[in-house]
Amino acid sequence: MDFRYSGMVETLTESKKYMTTMRWVMVLINMIVASRTETDGYDGRHLVLPFASSLLPAIDPNDMTKTLTALSCLCIVISYINVVDCSSLSDTIEDETKREICHGTGGFDDFVVQLLDRVFTLIENRAHENTRMADSRIANSVNMEDISLQRIIWAVFRPLATHSSSAICKIAVDKIVSFALSHTLETDVSGRLFSAICQAYAVSRPDIILPKLLPKLCASVEHL
């Protein structure tokens, strides 16, 4: 199998074509991740991080259909992998394919940081967009989008928190805590979306996020 991910997302600007392509990817992703050279003649694991990274530009506040599709695909990808940086061990591995895969995991921390940046921008833009909505029918439609977005954000970050190494999880938590303390979010839209991320880490890695977040939140409440 020759899985050509390069340029696939960037060249698809129409939401319908993008969604069709992503549906096929969702069907194939398990096969790609599970493939091994010994049995299948190729190892698709080295494609996972480049493909996941190529989805990030599709998280676009101006195109919710594309955004929800990209996040849904990321949810599936993340559920199949361990987000662990093994690059320091790559020199000890003799098999060239496995060494390449191991070396590639060094990009996981950057991927998580970029994913959070994209989602934070999305959250901020959703708040701004909804404050401008006047027509009740449009508002109801947007509300359904926000409900779907909240669910998919949880679905992405729950396995990400669960499957990440402690080192990568700490990097993510530092960004989450920094965002929480530096932004004031309204409770109807952006606050709910951001809370989905916090809940995902609080459920999966309470040992990492709670000691960093709770004392600072309590201190900020005391100063009110």
Side-chain angles (χ1 to χ4, degrees), residues 51-109:
F51 172 67
S53 297
S54 73
L55 289 170
L56 296 180
I59 303 176
D60 181 2
N62 298 315
D63 191 336
M64 284 306 300
T65 300
K66 196 173 181 180
T67 294
L68 290 170
T69 304
L71 288 173
S72 297
C73 196
L74 275 174
C75 177
I76 295 175
V77 172
I78 293 171
S79 67
Y80 284 122
I81 62 175
N82 290 316
V83 186
V84 180
D85 181 0
C86 303
S87 57
S88 61
L89 303 175
S90 58
D91 293 336
T92 65
I93 300 175
E94 295 182 1
D95 183 89
E96 183 177 352
T97 301
K98 293 181 179 178
R99 184 167 61 249
E100 179 185 352
I101 294 170
C102 192
H103 181 72
T105 61
F108 271 134
D109 52 352

Side-chain angles (χ1 to χ4, degrees), residues 46-205:
H46 71 282
L47 299 174
V48 173
L49 183 56
F51 172 67
S53 297
S54 73
L55 289 170
L56 296 180
I59 303 176
D60 181 2
N62 298 315
D63 191 336
M64 284 306 300
T65 300
K66 196 173 181 180
T67 294
L68 290 170
T69 304
L71 288 173
S72 297
C73 196
L74 275 174
C75 177
I76 295 175
V77 172
I78 293 171
S79 67
Y80 284 122
I81 62 175
N82 290 316
V83 186
V84 180
D85 181 0
C86 303
S87 57
S88 61
L89 303 175
S90 58
D91 293 336
T92 65
I93 300 175
E94 295 182 1
D95 183 89
E96 183 177 352
T97 301
K98 293 181 179 178
R99 184 167 61 249
E100 179 185 352
I101 294 170
C102 192
H103 181 72
T105 61
F108 271 134
D109 52 352
D110 287 337
F111 166 75
V112 172
V113 168
Q114 291 178 41
L115 173 60
L116 282 167
D117 285 338
R118 288 275 179 175
V119 174
F120 288 162
T121 300
L122 177 65
I123 289 172
E124 291 181 286
N125 275 270
R126 292 306 290 176
H128 296 159
E129 180 178 334
N130 279 273
T131 56
R132 295 195 301 266
M133 291 298 178
D135 188 276
S136 61
R137 289 173 298 177
I138 297 177
N140 289 335
S141 175
V142 171
N143 185 52
M144 291 304 298
E145 284 185 349
D146 290 323
I147 292 173
S148 298
L149 185 57
Q150 182 179 352
R151 289 173 178 171
I152 195 60
I153 286 176
W154 160 268
V156 169
F157 284 97
R158 174 67 192 278
L160 180 61
T162 302
H163 296 171
S164 292
S165 65
S166 294
I168 292 178
C169 193
K170 288 176 181 177
I171 293 173
V173 166
D174 285 342
K175 284 192 68 68
I176 293 168
V177 172
S178 176
F179 185 86
L181 298 177
S182 61
H183 291 74
T184 301
L185 305 176
E186 42 77 32
T187 57
D188 289 335
V189 182
S190 58
R192 290 179 181 272
L193 297 178
F194 180 66
S195 70
I197 301 177
C198 295
Q199 289 170 10
Y201 278 88
V203 170
S204 299
R205 302 303 297 268

